[in-house]
Amino acid sequence: MQTRKFGTNGPDVSVIGQGTWYLDHGDRKAAIAALRRGIETGMTHIDTAEMYGDAEPVIADAIAELPREMLFLVSKVLPSNASRRGTVTACERSLRRLKADYLNCYLLHWRGSYPLEETVAAFEELVASGKIRSWGVSNFDSDDLDELVDIAGEGKIACNQVLYHLQERAIEHAVVPWCERHGVAVVAYSPFGHNDFPSPRSKGGEMLQAIADAYKATPRQVALAFLTRTASVLAIPKASSAEHAAENARAGDLKLSEVEIAALDKAFPRGPKPRGLPML
Ligand code: NAP
């Protein structure tokens, strides 16, 4: 499993991690087995949020026997809770639900109506008290990031978690270059398009299969390798079975050639820059 730096001063984190949105909706035992297999195969970066129903308690059960230091746990505060006090309370609630002493990174889920100054002050308080090791944001466009860095200063924002998959490459226009200039990790969410992975019968699907065949890999592994082809990007697919988790983890060692990357770039064009940043 390759690793990537998580922010300027951050640790090395598995390039492929595990999403947990809707993980609490299916069979709980299978979800726990999926997370455990994922961790065993190197996907130690686990992404959750207070918004994701019972995902945090499911993670708590999956990681109960594991040394805390081997994991990179991320959770998120809802914008409606992201006041100075509300952020701290929400973080403490997530820690209780995860049965964890600290989070490796804590994110603002998307920009809401509380001033960023308040949320940043709460994040810094949480860092000082040891409840989080770092903080970041999600669904921030480059102009939001400009505002945020003016408030927080350089070197403070660990990551920006954004929508990124083969059929939605908008972040490549401005967000990825911004993050690279400022040493901020880009975390690709919904890397399989949530529930819209290219069909095997489509032109793009055939291309993914042909490249996969050359590596004895799968189209989803090729998709993850394409999305994480640059050093600033990590991805967090969600899987609810151990088989899917193991398949996804293997993408962490797959490196595509320049020719294959160019072919995929053509099959799934970036498209023009949209007016706003797309999000789910
Ligand atoms: P996703 O990871 O793009 O896709 C998940 C879907 O892919 C599920 O239906 C899953 O099925 C399937 N899948 C996974 N691995 C597979 C495999 N190897 N073979 C076949 N099917 C496979 O969707 P997502 O959950 O929207 O995004 C991932 C994570 O990003 C979320 O869970 C969440 O942690 C985060 N996220 C963040 C935001 C944000 O605003 N910050 C928004 C959306 C998502 P099974 O479940 O059956 O395995």
Side-chain angles (χ1 to χ4, degrees):
M1 173 67 64
Q2 297 173 62
T3 58
R4 298 268 152 96
K5 260 236 147 336
F6 209 86
T8 309
N9 306 312
D12 291 329
V13 173
S14 65
V15 65
I16 310 296
Q18 306 194 70
T20 61
W21 191 23
Y22 287 109
L23 197 64
D24 59 326
H25 281 219
D27 181 89
R28 191 183 172 96
K29 273 196 183 144
I32 290 170
L35 284 170
R36 285 192 183 149
R37 178 76 70 82
I39 294 165
E40 277 161 26
T41 47
M43 295 193 295
T44 48
H45 170 192
I46 299 178
D47 178 77
T48 190
E50 61 170 334
M51 194 188 101
Y52 300 166
D54 273 337
E56 288 177 329
V58 171
I59 295 168
D61 285 353
I63 64 174
E65 315 277 303
L66 299 174
R68 177 65 185 83
E69 321 77 68
M70 76 181 289
L71 301 167
F72 191 85
L73 279 186
V74 179
S75 192
K76 313 184 194 79
V77 58
L78 278 168
S80 53
N81 287 335
S83 63
R84 175 77 207 249
R85 273 266 49 82
T87 302
V88 173
T89 308
C91 179
E92 288 167 350
R93 196 164 48 233
S94 283
L95 287 173
R96 276 196 301 277
R97 285 156 58 81
L98 285 160
K99 298 195 177 129
D101 295 337
Y102 67 93
L103 293 171
N104 296 81
C105 196
Y106 195 41
L107 314 185
L108 173 60
H109 209 145
W110 63 90
R111 198 172 172 177
S113 53
Y114 283 110
L116 290 175
E117 286 84 349
E118 276 201 41
T119 315
V120 168
F123 283 158
E124 289 295 336
E125 182 185 325
L126 288 164
V127 171
S129 63
K131 290 179 180 152
I132 66 174
R133 297 260 162 104
S134 65
W135 61 265
V137 288
S138 178
N139 297 302
F140 268 46
D141 208 340
S142 53
D143 53 345
D144 299 310
L145 291 164
D146 280 335
E147 267 185 66
L148 184 62
V149 81
D150 281 349
I151 292 163
E154 292 287 349
K156 294 285 187 180
I157 311 164
C159 75
N160 185 21
Q161 188 183 116
V162 281
L163 179 64
Y164 188 38
H165 57 85
L166 288 170
Q167 300 176 98
E168 184 45 84
R169 297 176 54 193
I171 61 161
E172 292 180 23
H173 290 285
V175 170
V176 172
W178 193 101
C179 289
E180 287 178 348
R181 278 197 307 278
H182 294 268
V184 172
V186 177
V187 179
Y189 76 67
S190 304
F192 297 146
H194 194 60
N195 284 319
D196 191 20
F197 194 71
S199 138
R201 285 172 301 284
S202 65
K203 273 253 165 312
E206 284 172 8
M207 160 93 56
L208 286 169
Q209 187 64 61
I211 296 173
D213 288 346
Y215 292 97
K216 293 196 170 50
T218 68
R220 283 177 193 260
Q221 290 168 345
V222 172
L224 291 174
F226 178 80
L227 298 173
T228 57
R229 68 198 179 282
T230 42
S232 54
V233 182
L234 304 89
I236 46 166
K238 170 256 186 181
S240 21
S241 72
E243 293 71 25
H244 284 176
E247 177 183 337
N248 299 344
R250 282 194 295 274
D253 291 314
L254 178 58
K255 200 161 163 26
L256 302 176
S257 70
E258 289 303 319
V259 172
E260 290 155 347
I261 288 171
L264 288 168
D265 179 55
K266 215 164 153 207
F268 298 97
R270 181 189 290 189
K273 185 175 188 292
R275 215 171 278 180
L277 188 68
M279 61 184 277
L280 277 197

